[in-house]
Amino acid sequence: MEGEKMYFPYFRGRQYDLLALKELAQKRLISNEILPVVEPVKISATLDRTLKCYVDAKMRLAMVLNPEVKKLGEEENMKLYDKTNEFVLPAIIMNNNAPHVIDQLRNKGYGRNDILVILNNRDEVEKYKKIFKNDAPAYVLIPDERSIKRAVSNNKILLEDKFHKLNRNADYANNDDEFFSDDHRYYKEEGYIGFADYSMIGENYDESGFAPRAVAIHIVYIDKDMNFRIHHFVSNSNHGLEDVAGKYYEAVMKLKAWYRSGNEKQRTVALSTFLEHAEKGYFPGLPTIKKLSIMHHLELVDRVLRKESDK
């Protein structure tokens, strides 16, 4: 298997997901310890630019060719096939359409062992076993379910949603610091070759956009035991919809105070940008907050994994 990949963050290909991944590749802020997986929700110029950045940086990214959260038309699906190459790994979700996708990939010269597979449905196990009886996929992302884990012999990646998503941003203030993940410490002894999650966005896909009553910044950090925790910085003036920029300033000032209270080791390029916003009173827009939070998380995970590799 080419290269050492341990962490497989899974994204739904929203604009801010793609912009985060693009900037991480452009600035070489992550290494080959990380292989992002993108399930596109549409064909866009941002998707094309992101893929090009990974090719130019000679970094690998996996792209789902049969997305589920938002079905693409047949013509759009065919365009996805043309975007795969040495650095854009073809990925499939095990579902009714998977055999057709594998046939299309075979016509383009891809073998079964060139594919990343997402197997997250017990009802698809028998189909998986039949298709990959003789050739295991390059990677198989699976949940921590015994019936699925038994069916996958090789190249298992643990996929879990680690983000405790709440209905309202204001509710994060009730429990503003919580455990996030220790999978990076234990995945090998549990029989996996890597681990995956949905970063600090969560598995749920929701396209709805609205002005929030509260602004929340979700920052993953490393604790003294080398576990990942997540801190939620929530605005105070959460009764109305007005002055989103003011709400952001309240939240980012809390982040600044937290950082200065002994958390300087958590600094990343993205976290530095948040601190600049606090200094200048600048509001970048809500999507950029999510972009920066994703970037910070992936840069931090990469830092931990590279330290483990150097031991």
Side-chain angles (χ1 to χ4, degrees):
M1 202 175 300
E2 183 183 336
E4 183 70 18
K5 308 289 189 301
M6 289 190 266
Y7 178 46
F8 297 71
Y10 195 102
F11 298 100
R12 273 4 191 302
R14 302 173 184 86
Q15 180 88 345
Y16 57 77
D17 296 330
L18 297 172
L19 290 174
L21 294 176
K22 175 173 170 281
E23 192 165 336
L24 287 165
Q26 278 181 324
K27 295 181 177 179
R28 306 298 197 275
L29 298 177
I30 57 175
S31 70
N32 285 327
E33 307 282 356
I34 295 180
L35 196 159
V37 181
V38 174
E39 181 181 348
V41 293
K42 66 178 179 178
I43 307 294
S44 68
T46 306
L47 175 64
D48 288 341
R49 285 192 289 266
T50 301
L51 298 179
K52 184 178 185 302
C53 279
Y54 277 76
V55 173
D56 291 346
K58 294 183 168 52
M59 296 167 61
R60 297 189 80 195
L61 172 150
M63 184 172 64
V64 175
L65 301 179
N66 58 340
E68 282 192 334
V69 291
K70 190 170 183 183
K71 303 288 186 183
L72 301 181
E74 184 63 29
E75 186 177 339
E76 287 183 305
N77 272 121
M78 293 308 297
K79 288 179 180 178
L80 290 180
Y81 291 95
D82 294 333
K83 299 179 190 299
T84 60
N85 53 52
E86 179 184 357
F87 299 104
V88 181
L89 180 74
I92 63 167
I93 298 171
M94 285 305 302
N95 56 24
N96 290 335
N97 195 35
H100 171 70
V101 178
I102 291 170
D103 286 342
Q104 293 292 326
L105 287 171
R106 186 178 64 241
N107 294 336
K108 289 187 172 292
Y110 289 102
R112 284 170 168 75
N113 56 359
D114 297 319
I115 301 170
L116 181 148
V117 173
I118 299 101
L119 176 59
N120 55 11
N121 184 342
R122 176 63 183 84
D123 290 337
E124 299 294 334
V125 164
E126 292 307 314
K127 185 184 297 174
Y128 170 85
K129 289 164 69 174
K130 182 178 179 181
I131 292 173
F132 295 99
K133 180 179 180 181
N134 298 317
D135 295 298
Y139 308 104
V140 193
L141 276 60
I142 64 172
D144 189 21
E145 293 182 19
R146 188 178 303 170
S147 59
I148 296 179
K149 189 175 180 181
R150 278 197 303 255
V152 181
S153 302
N154 300 303
N155 305 336
K156 292 188 287 285
I157 309 295
L158 174 63
L159 173 61
E160 296 275 276
D161 186 2
K162 299 296 181 179
F163 184 65
H164 182 209
K165 192 172 182 65
L166 302 179
N167 290 328
R168 303 183 312 161
N169 281 345
D171 294 339
Y172 290 106
N174 298 327
N175 184 21
D176 64 3
D177 194 282
E178 56 188 330
F179 179 80
F180 188 77
S181 177
D182 58 4
D183 287 345
H184 62 292
R185 298 178 61 194
Y186 302 112
Y187 70 91
K188 288 182 181 177
E189 62 189 65
E190 292 174 357
Y192 299 95
I193 65 165
F195 62 100
D197 57 38
Y198 299 89
S199 188
M200 37 54 64
I201 301 298
E203 181 179 7
N204 182 57
Y205 175 74
D206 184 4
E207 280 192 319
S208 62
F210 52 88
R213 288 183 179 273
V215 169
I217 305 170
H218 309 289
I219 295 295
V220 175
Y221 70 96
I222 308 163
D223 71 12
K224 59 182 178 58
D225 298 316
M226 296 305 291
N227 297 317
F228 288 109
R229 296 185 65 82
I230 187 166
H231 198 101
H232 312 288
F233 302 94
V234 182
S235 57
N236 297 320
S237 53
N238 303 329
H239 300 296
L241 299 176
E242 66 283 348
D243 194 15
V244 176
K247 297 175 192 290
Y248 174 66
Y249 185 70
E250 293 170 354
V252 81
M253 287 301 289
K254 290 183 180 181
L255 189 160
K256 178 182 174 182
W258 172 86
Y259 173 79
R260 290 186 169 179
S261 65
N263 290 295
E264 290 83 359
K265 290 183 179 179
Q266 312 296 334
R267 192 176 188 114
T268 61
V269 169
L271 193 62
S272 297
T273 304
F274 276 125
L275 296 173
E276 288 176 13
H277 294 169
E279 291 292 334
K280 297 176 181 179
Y282 175 69
F283 175 53
L286 295 174
T288 298
I289 299 172
K290 291 184 177 179
K291 183 197 87 165
L292 291 172
S293 298
I294 291 169
M295 289 179 61
H296 168 74
H297 178 207
L298 268 59
E299 189 178 348
L300 208 59
V301 174
D302 186 73
R303 183 186 301 169
V304 170
L305 294 182
R306 283 188 286 111
K307 282 183 180 178
E308 288 294 316
S309 297
D310 292 341
K311 286 183 179 179

